[in-house]
């Protein structure tokens, strides 16, 4: 009896039925005890029985598996080995192969470790089960159905993010001449989900002071407490503080030199140290010694404080304070907004954030306004100190 989509959808784990179910023209499916359904094509070549895997359901639909079988039967009629045809298809058209090449040749060589991790996570979760999709032949409506599933399983914003990364693969493969086109490229994000919302959260002065006091009264480790305080006072990125090495900080010159390999712009960033930051680093030196590798060591020897530890601590602060929800990245927006209220110039706050200035300034003006940054950081610390006293 021929297979049907209804019959395949009814297969659930744990499965204890027949291990192989036949369709027609040599097409069959193998079903594992975990209900993993794999299409196979059986044929004879040079007098011997052969079998090749076509793909896994539902990534490969029954109707598409039958089309593949018809193509392979046509190959046999022309004296071609379907296995050779399939291997040629895999090297050029299968989505899983495109993603693997994209990771190896672009992501792992050109992008930053955090972005690499993001792509790895996305591909492991959303590509691996559907790696046998033919990226050129997969229909527009099938892609839409796939992303509707992603949206249902996670969120509208996540579906948009996954599509964005998938389109990056398709555009990369097309630019290199590996594919002619993919319907992925044509899908607008609004058709299947939404863009990630840009955060607007900016702490008010009373919230900054309330958070500082809550940190001071917390029974958490000095590492977590100091990390958040340094993020508040510097406006640096989370990883820039967490993964900072002790020798990046010169307390005699009151300067922090962020090396190019840890900078988002891949250029060295100079940040002056305010009195408050120096006090916090001195406290860490007193507890952990000046010869340690990382400014803020984690629980594992030779490793920095983890993102998980920081986020967990910030969530506890959120739970205690009951403010509108904030995350460490919001501290960057907070410091430049509060300083702008005190007439600190835009180019100065941009350099404090480690940003490149736009337009002609990026190309010709390499000044980082270090003295103006120093004044701004000290102004911010003085304001925090004054409000804490009051």
């Amino acid at each position: 009896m021929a297979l049907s989509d209804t019959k395949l959808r009814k297969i659930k784990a744990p499965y204890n039925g027949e291990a192989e179910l036949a369709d027609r023209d040599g097409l069959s499916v193998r079903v594992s005890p975990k209900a993993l359904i794999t299409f196979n094509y059986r044929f004879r070549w040079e007098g011997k029985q052969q079998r090749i895997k076509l793909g896994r359901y539902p990534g490969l639909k029954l109707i598409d598996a039958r089309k593949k079988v018809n193509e392979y039967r046509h190959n046999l009629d022309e004296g071609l080995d379907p296995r050779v045809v399939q291997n040629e298809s895999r090297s050029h058209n299968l989505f899983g192969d495109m993603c693997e090449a994209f990771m190896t040749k672009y992501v792992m060589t050109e992008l930053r470790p955090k972005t690499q991790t993001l792509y790895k996570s996305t591909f492991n979760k959303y590509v691996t089960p559907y790696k046998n999709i033919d990226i050129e032949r997969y229909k527009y409506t099938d892609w839409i159905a796939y992303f509707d599933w992603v949206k249902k399983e996670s969120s509208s914003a996540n579906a948009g993010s996954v599509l964005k990364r998938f389109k990056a693969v398709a555009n990369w493969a097309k630019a290199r001449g590996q594919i002619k086109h993919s319907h992925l490229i044509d899908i607008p994000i609004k058709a299947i989900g939404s863009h990630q919302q840009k955060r607007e959260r900016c702490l008010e002065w009373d919230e900054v002071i309330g958070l500082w006091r809550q940190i001071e009264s917390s029974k958490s480790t000095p590492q977590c407490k100091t990390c958040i305080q340094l993020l508040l006072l510097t406006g640096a990125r989370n990883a820039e503080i967490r993964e900072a090495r002790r020798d990046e900080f010169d307390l005699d010159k009151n300067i922090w030199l962020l090396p190019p390999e840890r900078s988002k712009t891949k250029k060295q960033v100079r940040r002056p140290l305010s009195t408050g930051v120096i006090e916090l680093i001195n406290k860490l030196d007193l507890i952990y010694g000046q010869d340690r590798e990382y400014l803020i060591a984690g629980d594992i020897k030779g490793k920095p404080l983890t993102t998980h530890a920081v986020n967990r601590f910030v969530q506890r602060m959120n739970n205690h304070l009951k403010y509108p929800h904030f995350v460490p990245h919001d501290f960057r927006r907070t410091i430049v907004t509060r300083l702008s209220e005190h007439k600190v110039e835009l180019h100065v706050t941009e350099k404090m954030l480690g940003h490149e200035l736009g337009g002609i300034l990026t190309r010709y003006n390499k000044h980082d306004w270090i003295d103006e940054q120093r004044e701004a950081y000290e102004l911010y610390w003085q304001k925090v100190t004054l409000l804490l006293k009051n």
Side-chain angles (χ1 to χ4, degrees):
M1 183 176 179
L3 296 173
S4 68
D5 280 306
T6 301
K7 186 174 183 179
L8 293 176
R9 284 196 297 267
K10 287 182 178 180
I11 295 176
K12 305 292 182 183
Y15 178 76
N16 53 12
E18 294 182 48
E20 185 163 4
L21 304 174
D23 185 53
R24 62 175 188 245
D25 299 328
L27 177 64
S28 65
V29 294
R30 283 189 169 181
V31 187
S32 75
K34 293 184 179 180
L36 296 176
I37 303 171
T38 305
F39 287 106
N40 290 271
Y41 172 50
R42 292 178 297 172
F43 64 99
R44 296 190 71 83
W45 181 258
E46 296 181 348
K48 295 183 180 180
Q49 187 71 30
Q50 305 292 342
R51 179 196 296 267
I52 56 177
K53 293 181 181 179
L54 303 181
R56 183 173 291 172
Y57 182 85
L60 178 64
K61 297 182 181 297
L62 177 58
I63 187 173
D64 294 326
R66 286 171 175 166
K67 288 180 181 178
K68 280 180 175 286
V69 168
N70 287 334
E71 291 173 6
Y72 291 151
R73 285 167 59 85
H74 181 67
N75 296 146
L76 283 171
D77 292 340
E78 294 182 340
L80 299 175
D81 186 343
R83 292 170 297 179
V84 175
V85 175
Q86 186 197 49
N87 288 335
E88 290 177 351
S89 173
R90 284 181 182 276
S91 64
H92 296 289
N93 299 326
L94 296 188
F95 189 41
D97 292 340
M98 292 296 101
C99 290
E100 185 176 344
F102 179 72
M103 284 293 299
T104 302
K105 297 179 180 179
Y106 177 69
V107 175
M108 301 306 293
T109 59
E110 302 295 331
L111 302 184
R112 298 175 64 81
K114 281 190 173 182
T115 310
Q116 294 172 10
T117 302
L118 193 62
Y119 269 103
K120 285 179 183 177
S121 175
T122 298
F123 289 172
N124 286 339
K125 186 170 184 178
Y126 296 108
V127 175
T128 301
Y130 300 92
K131 62 184 179 180
N132 291 322
I133 289 175
D134 190 316
I135 191 172
E136 286 189 295
R137 298 179 182 177
Y138 209 58
K139 297 178 182 178
Y140 187 96
T141 51
D142 290 336
W143 281 117
I144 294 293
Y146 172 80
F147 284 106
D148 284 344
W149 170 78
V150 175
K151 180 178 178 180
K152 181 180 178 181
E153 292 293 312
S154 53
S155 68
S156 177
N158 185 58
S161 295
V162 173
L163 172 59
K164 186 177 179 181
R165 292 174 199 128
F166 280 15
K167 290 175 79 167
V169 175
N171 281 310
W172 178 84
K174 183 179 179 181
R176 290 170 60 88
Q178 293 177 282
I179 63 172
K180 292 182 179 180
H181 187 67
S182 171
H183 287 301
L184 264 176
I185 298 171
D186 302 327
I187 302 174
I189 288 179
K190 64 181 180 181
I192 54 87
S194 62
H195 292 276
Q196 291 281 357
Q197 292 185 346
K198 293 183 178 180
R199 290 189 60 83
E200 300 289 338
R201 181 75 167 97
C202 179
L203 279 68
E204 300 293 337
W205 276 118
D206 62 325
E207 293 176 322
V208 173
I209 302 309
L211 173 58
W212 191 277
R213 286 178 173 147
Q214 187 62 47
I215 294 171
E216 288 290 330
S217 64
S218 170
K219 296 181 180 179
S220 186
T221 63
Q223 296 104 307
C224 280
K225 295 168 66 171
T226 305
C227 182
I228 302 304
Q229 289 174 317
L230 288 173
L231 289 172
L232 274 169
L233 294 184
T234 62
R237 295 179 176 87
N238 191 335
E240 290 175 351
I241 288 291
R242 280 192 312 99
E243 299 172 5
R245 298 179 180 273
R246 177 59 184 85
D247 59 13
E248 294 175 8
F249 297 82
D250 188 334
L251 299 192
D252 294 328
K253 296 180 179 178
N254 295 351
I255 201 77
W256 172 20
L257 295 180
L258 181 69
E261 60 270 20
R262 293 210 313 109
S263 165
K264 189 172 183 178
T265 60
K266 296 185 179 180
K267 296 179 181 179
Q268 184 186 72
V269 176
R270 292 198 305 168
R271 283 193 178 98
L273 305 177
S274 67
T275 304
V277 170
I278 293 173
E279 289 178 3
L280 291 171
I281 295 176
N282 280 329
K283 286 181 181 179
L284 290 175
D285 289 347
L286 185 63
I287 298 172
Y288 304 107
Q290 296 184 26
D291 58 348
R292 62 190 184 281
E293 180 179 2
Y294 290 100
L295 178 70
I296 306 173
D299 293 334
I300 301 176
K301 187 176 181 180
K303 298 288 184 180
L305 190 67
T306 64
T307 303
H308 177 68
V310 172
N311 291 338
R312 185 176 54 190
F313 179 74
V314 171
Q315 186 55 51
R316 288 206 301 271
M317 296 296 98
N318 274 285
N319 295 339
H320 281 295
L321 293 167
K322 308 299 182 183
Y323 294 157
H325 190 268
F326 58 85
V327 297
H329 199 76
D330 296 331
F331 302 157
R332 288 167 58 78
R333 193 177 300 107
T334 297
I335 190 170
V336 297
T337 301
R338 301 285 79 91
L339 286 174
S340 295
E341 293 171 347
H342 284 75
K343 312 302 183 195
V344 176
E345 297 291 341
L346 176 63
H347 57 273
V348 178
T349 56
E350 285 295 283
K351 284 299 182 180
M352 292 170 71
L353 293 179
H355 287 170
E356 283 286 306
L357 299 178
I360 196 170
L361 287 175
T362 298
R363 186 177 296 274
Y364 292 105
N365 195 331
K366 304 303 180 181
H367 186 48
D368 59 5
W369 290 276
I370 194 71
D371 293 332
E372 289 81 358
Q373 285 191 63
R374 192 183 305 280
E375 292 177 7
Y377 275 123
E378 198 60 38
L379 171 63
Y380 192 73
W381 170 241
Q382 289 173 4
K383 183 69 175 179
V384 169
T385 303
L386 179 62
L387 292 174
L388 283 171
K389 290 180 178 178
N390 293 337

